[in-house]
Amino acid sequence: LTPTMSGYDEGQVFWSDQQLSDKTQNVQGLVQAFKKFIREFPAGLEFPYRDQLRKNTAMHEYRLEVNLDDLNSFDQESYTQVHDRPAEMLPHFEAAAKEVYAGMVVGKRDDDAPIPDIQVILTTTSEPTGMRDLAAKHYSKLVHVQGIVIQAGKPTVKATAIMLQCKSCKVTKEVYVKPGLEGCVFPRVCDNRSADGSRNDCGLDPYNIIAEKSRYVDLQKLKIQE
C-alpha cells in the first residue's frame, strides 16, 4: 500500500511573483523540497518526520531529528545540497520545518502568537570518516566523524539576525548572520531613501544595534579526538 496525504495540516499559501530573482526562486524550491520530505517521507503507513515534529512540539521541544539516509532515499538532490553546502542549506531546512509546524497549528494558536524556530538535528548511519583522512575536499562539507569529546567550551550567545537603527533618520534594517563561526559586516552608510529617490545623507557608520529586537542562538565549541 502507498500512504496518501490527508492534507489537513498543510496550511499552504499559494502565491505568484513574476519578478522574483533566480536566487529567490531557488531558495523557495529548496524550502518546498524540504517541506515535502518532512510531510511525506513514508515508513510503512506512517509519516515519521511529520509525526515526530507534532509530538516534539506538543511537549514544547522545538526540534526535528532527521536521518540523512532517509533524505537521500527520498530526494537525492536535496541530500546532495545539504551534504555539499550544510552551512547554507540547514537554515532553509529549519525554515521548512517551521513552515510545516505553522501549518499544523493553523486555528490552534492566537493569530498574533509568534511561531517558534525549529532546530533540525542531522544524523546518519553511514561509516564515519577518520579524522586523519580529512582533506581539502572535505572543507565546508558535511562530514561524519567519530571521536571522544575531550574539551567543551562554555556556551556563548551568537546572533542570527541583528536589528540595526540609523541614528539620524531612525529607519531600521535587519542584517542576517551566517551560521557557524562566521560574523557579519554592517553597512557603512544608511540605505534609506527620500521621497525623490535620493539616498539620505546620514553620515558614515550611522547604525546602532537594537539588542532586544535581534535574534540569538546558543553556541558551544567541542574539541574531539580519535
Side-chain angles (χ1 to χ4, degrees):
L1 294 176
T2 301
T4 58
M5 294 293 295
S6 62
Y8 71 92
D9 63 350
E10 292 189 4
Q12 295 183 357
V13 177
F14 298 93
W15 55 279
S16 176
D17 185 350
Q18 302 304 318
Q19 303 302 318
L20 284 176
S21 66
D22 291 341
K23 183 176 180 180
T24 301
Q25 291 175 335
N26 290 338
V27 168
Q28 290 293 332
L30 286 167
V31 172
Q32 291 300 322
F34 291 139
K35 286 169 63 176
K36 183 176 181 180
F37 167 75
I38 295 170
R39 286 191 179 122
E40 300 183 15
F41 178 80
L45 297 177
E46 298 180 349
F47 301 95
Y49 292 110
R50 186 184 68 181
D51 295 342
Q52 180 195 155
L53 183 60
R54 182 185 293 108
K55 179 180 178 181
N56 288 348
T57 53
M59 297 186 294
H60 303 287
E61 296 180 3
Y62 300 102
R63 59 181 173 83
L64 178 67
E65 188 171 311
V66 174
N67 189 319
L68 287 172
D69 304 328
D70 292 340
L71 179 61
N72 189 25
S73 65
F74 185 82
D75 185 346
Q76 191 171 18
E77 175 61 26
S78 294
Y79 168 81
T80 300
Q81 293 284 353
V82 172
H83 178 271
D84 292 348
R85 298 187 294 163
E88 184 179 346
M89 292 298 109
L90 194 55
H92 299 324
F93 210 152
E94 292 181 337
K98 184 176 181 178
E99 289 187 22
V100 172
Y101 172 63
M104 291 178 177
V105 296
V106 169
K108 301 177 183 179
R109 294 169 58 96
D110 295 335
D111 293 339
D112 56 349
I115 300 296
D117 293 332
I118 306 295
Q119 180 186 16
V120 172
I121 302 171
L122 302 178
T123 65
T124 182
T125 57
S126 63
E127 287 294 322
T129 300
M131 293 186 191
R132 298 182 184 183
D133 296 327
L134 295 177
K137 65 180 181 180
H138 298 110
Y139 181 75
S140 77
K141 294 186 178 181
L142 197 62
V143 181
H144 177 208
V145 297
Q146 193 172 44
I148 300 173
V149 177
I150 61 173
Q151 182 179 339
K154 292 183 178 180
T156 58
V157 176
K158 174 183 170 64
T160 57
I162 300 175
M163 184 66 71
L164 305 176
Q165 185 176 51
C166 179
K167 292 179 286 189
S168 299
C169 66
K170 305 302 180 183
V171 70
T172 58
K173 177 183 180 71
E174 192 170 42
V175 177
Y176 293 93
V177 184
K178 292 183 178 180
L181 302 179
E182 294 192 48
C184 70
V185 178
F186 292 167
R188 299 296 306 277
V189 296
C190 179
D191 56 6
N192 190 29
R193 297 183 180 275
S194 57
D196 60 3
S198 60
R199 188 187 296 271
N200 290 344
D201 184 12
C202 298
L204 194 63
D205 297 325
Y207 287 109
N208 287 327
I209 297 175
I210 307 178
E212 61 272 17
K213 292 187 178 181
S214 300
R215 288 177 282 168
Y216 309 90
V217 294
D218 293 331
L219 178 68
Q220 186 177 30
K221 298 179 184 178
L222 303 177
K223 186 175 182 180
I224 63 175
Q225 71 177 23
E226 288 184 297

